[in-house]
Amino acid sequence: TDRYNTERVEFLRGANSILFGLAEPAGLVNSSTKLAGTRKRATRVENKIDQFGSNRVMLDHNEVLIPGVLAVRSVGLFNEQQYKVKTAFLRDKRVFVTGTYQPFKGTTVRAYAEGVSSFGRRPNNRTVQDNVSGWLRAYNTYAPQTKVDVSVAYMLNKRSTLYADVRNLNAMPQRSGTWSPDGPEYARIDQFQFVGASFTVGVRGDF
C-alpha cells in the first residue's frame, strides 16, 4: 500500500471516534483519496532519494476543463526502492486518475481509476536462524549403532538342524537418548546398556 494518492488523514482518538463513522471506542484512522478540484489548476512534483540509491518521483496534476463544473486529476508514481541488502529491491509504478463533474448545484459525480505495476524482492526482516545443526548432532550421536550378527545352521538329517546364533558380536553398547537439542542439560535422558554379545545354540527339527 502506498499513500501517493492520499489527500487527507485524520486520527480520531478515544470514544469521540464513534461520532465520525464506525464505532471504534479505542480510536479511528480515517483517510481520503485525492479529489479533482473544479476551481483551480495545480501541479505538484516530488522527488526523494536516499543513501542506498532509491529514487521516488511523484507527479500530481489537476486540470480544470470547465470551471466550476468539470475537472480531471491524475497522479503518477515511480518508486525505485533500494535497501542496504544489495539483492533486495522494489520497483513500483502507479497511476491514479479521478474526475469530478458538477452538472447542477448540490449534485456531484466522481469517478476513480488506478493502475499498479509492482515487482521486487523485499529484504527479510528476520535474523538468520539455524534449526538443523542441533538435530544433526543429536542424530549423529544417538543414531542406531552398527551391530554384527552371525547365524550358522548345519543340517544333521532331513528332519533336524543344528544352529548357532551370535548377536552383537562386536559388543556394541546400546545408547539411547530422549531430549530436544535445544533443551537444558538437566532435562536430557541419556541411557547406556552394555549387554555384550549373546550366543544361542540349539537343534531345530520336525518330529
Side-chain angles (χ1 to χ4, degrees):
T1 302
D2 198 292
R3 295 187 296 272
Y4 77 106
N5 61 344
T6 301
E7 181 125 69
R8 184 176 179 180
V9 178
E10 297 176 340
F11 297 91
L12 309 175
R13 299 177 58 185
N16 287 334
S17 63
I18 298 177
L19 304 176
F20 298 91
L22 298 178
E24 294 290 345
L28 185 67
V29 178
N30 185 31
S31 62
S32 58
T33 57
K34 294 181 177 180
L35 303 175
T38 59
R39 296 177 178 270
K40 185 170 108 174
R41 180 182 181 183
T43 302
R44 182 181 180 183
V45 179
E46 290 184 1
N47 180 239
K48 296 180 181 180
I49 59 175
D50 61 21
Q51 70 273 26
F52 301 121
S54 303
N55 185 23
R56 177 187 174 92
V57 180
M58 187 191 71
L59 174 62
D60 184 0
H61 178 70
N62 184 82
E63 182 69 28
V64 179
L65 302 179
I66 303 176
V69 178
L70 180 63
V72 176
R73 186 174 184 176
S74 62
V75 185
L77 172 70
F78 174 79
N79 184 24
E80 182 78 23
Q81 184 71 39
Q82 301 293 332
Y83 303 89
K84 188 174 182 179
V85 179
K86 298 301 181 182
T87 57
F89 69 96
L90 176 63
R91 187 175 298 110
D92 200 6
K93 300 178 182 179
R94 298 172 184 254
V95 176
F96 176 76
V97 179
T98 179
T100 300
Y101 179 49
Q102 296 177 336
F104 314 104
K105 184 178 180 180
T107 302
T108 303
V109 179
R110 291 189 175 94
Y112 308 87
E114 183 179 14
V116 178
S117 175
S118 183
F119 174 75
R121 181 173 57 248
R122 296 179 182 271
N124 193 349
N125 58 1
R126 298 178 57 188
T127 57
V128 178
Q129 298 179 350
D130 183 5
N131 298 322
V132 178
S133 299
W135 289 105
L136 289 178
R137 287 193 300 269
Y139 176 80
N140 293 331
T141 302
Y142 295 99
Q145 305 296 325
T146 302
K147 298 188 299 181
V148 178
D149 297 337
V150 178
S151 180
V152 179
Y154 177 73
M155 183 174 292
L156 299 175
N157 50 50
K158 293 182 179 181
R159 293 187 175 182
S160 60
T161 302
L162 175 65
Y163 70 92
D165 292 333
V166 181
R167 303 293 182 183
N168 196 21
L169 181 63
N170 55 343
M172 179 65 66
Q174 303 301 307
R175 185 179 186 182
S176 62
T178 304
W179 49 277
S180 169
D182 298 327
E185 191 74 27
Y186 60 83
R188 300 181 180 181
I189 302 176
D190 201 353
Q191 296 179 348
F192 282 90
Q193 294 181 358
F194 296 93
V195 295
S198 61
F199 299 86
T200 303
V201 179
V203 178
R204 290 192 297 263
D206 296 329
F207 302 97

